[in-house]
Amino acid sequence: MVSDVHGNARDLARAGEGADALICLGDLVLFLDYADHSRGIFPDLFGVANADRIVELRTARRYDEARDFGRRLWAELGGDPRELTEQAVRKQYAELFAAFPTPTYATYGNVDVPPLWPEYARPGTTVLDGERVEIGGRVFGFVGGGLRTPMRTPYEVSDEEYAAKIEAVGEVDVLCTHIPPQVPELVYDTVARRFERGSRALLDAIRRTRPRYALFGHVHQPLARRMRVGATECVNVGHFASTGRPWALEW
């Protein structure tokens, strides 16, 4: 199981070795690597110095300034920002989806572009969002995307839409989401020094339906990687982009 792949196609190609299936919890795209500002779509387009600056602004939570800075860079570059970004995303998706083994079950992260996925998901890759599937005799539910934030990443939805997807999944053995439940220890990033957005609806569903596992990613350096919520083992499966190691679920 992997999450937050962010362009790591090399390790993704080996992630399913020895497993009955690979599960991916999203964030395939690498737009900007906060640990290495030379990697990603943004520095490829605008250079490392500008990547340094936008990371500085975002880290300081100066989001309006960061957006203004980004708009100036696009104006200086010329061309259609949507078209140029989509070209870069398509290039990454072609490589990443080709690395998925068969079978793979995947849902979207908040930085993914869901409308493009059907073009790249080959036979053997099942994409699910607000849906259930049986894997190895267990029922898995999948809910993709994130909640709205000042970062305005591509696949952020309203709290109401997200809650509706959680409700559609219902009772499952394993609940797979991109973002964590709204528990302070699970949503706090110790390196970024901020609370990321988790879902209260997800936390309520875990308490109500009591899945055996709740699995997620999104928070790259969480205060707690796993903890119990009632009868449920909640696990952040890891920042695959940096570790290159999948998390194994066995029964």
Side-chain angles (χ1 to χ4, degrees):
M1 185 168 302
V2 300
S3 186
D4 299 85
V5 176
H6 294 301
N8 189 350
R10 181 193 62 188
D11 292 320
L12 185 62
R14 300 191 295 265
E17 291 179 356
D20 295 322
L22 177 70
I23 292 174
C24 178
L25 303 183
D27 272 8
L28 297 182
V29 171
L30 178 61
F31 189 73
L32 177 57
D33 189 332
Y34 280 63
D36 180 354
H37 302 170
S38 69
R39 298 181 63 245
I41 294 171
F42 189 94
D44 287 348
L45 290 171
F46 303 114
V48 177
N50 287 322
D52 291 342
R53 177 57 176 162
I54 204 160
V55 168
E56 178 187 2
L57 290 171
R58 289 179 175 177
T59 302
R61 299 172 177 78
R62 294 157 60 184
Y63 299 115
D64 290 338
E65 290 180 62
R67 280 190 287 274
D68 288 342
F69 180 64
R71 280 192 287 266
R72 291 198 300 272
L73 291 177
W74 281 112
E76 293 168 5
L77 182 67
D80 184 339
R82 290 179 181 270
E83 183 178 330
L84 292 171
T85 301
E86 183 175 312
Q87 289 173 1
V89 170
R90 285 181 176 278
K91 183 179 179 181
Q92 290 189 15
Y93 276 164
E95 184 177 11
L96 290 159
F97 276 89
F100 277 145
T102 298
T104 290
Y105 301 88
T107 196
Y108 316 110
N110 60 293
V111 301
D112 283 313
V113 185
L116 297 182
W117 280 35
E119 298 183 38
Y120 296 95
R122 303 174 301 169
T125 297
T126 303
V127 179
L128 303 115
D129 188 14
E131 299 165 280
R132 302 149 54 101
V133 68
E134 185 177 313
I135 307 172
R138 301 289 196 277
V139 178
F140 286 67
F142 290 80
V143 175
L147 296 173
R148 289 177 180 156
T149 71
M151 299 287 282
R152 299 182 185 176
T153 50
Y155 191 43
E156 295 180 353
V157 302
S158 69
D159 289 64
E160 293 77 15
E161 183 178 346
Y162 196 87
K165 292 195 293 183
I166 293 288
E167 186 67 24
V169 165
E171 294 187 17
V172 295
D173 299 307
V174 183
L175 185 50
C176 299
T177 60
H178 177 67
I179 63 174
Q182 184 60 43
V183 177
E185 294 89 342
L186 299 177
V187 299
Y188 186 74
D189 191 305
T190 59
V191 174
R193 296 184 179 180
R194 65 170 180 253
F195 290 96
E196 302 290 354
R197 280 215 70 187
S199 169
R200 179 71 194 193
L202 174 57
L203 178 60
D204 291 344
I206 290 169
R207 288 172 169 162
R208 183 178 69 254
T209 65
R210 299 163 60 88
R212 184 172 179 182
Y213 291 97
L215 308 175
F216 48 86
H218 187 57
V219 182
H220 293 176
Q221 297 89 197
L223 185 62
R225 292 202 173 274
R226 62 191 301 161
M227 63 184 296
R228 295 194 73 83
V229 173
T232 302
E233 186 75 13
C234 298
V235 182
N236 185 317
V237 303
H239 182 213
F240 186 77
S242 63
T243 69
R245 295 191 302 272
W247 184 82
L249 176 62
E250 300 179 357
W251 63 80

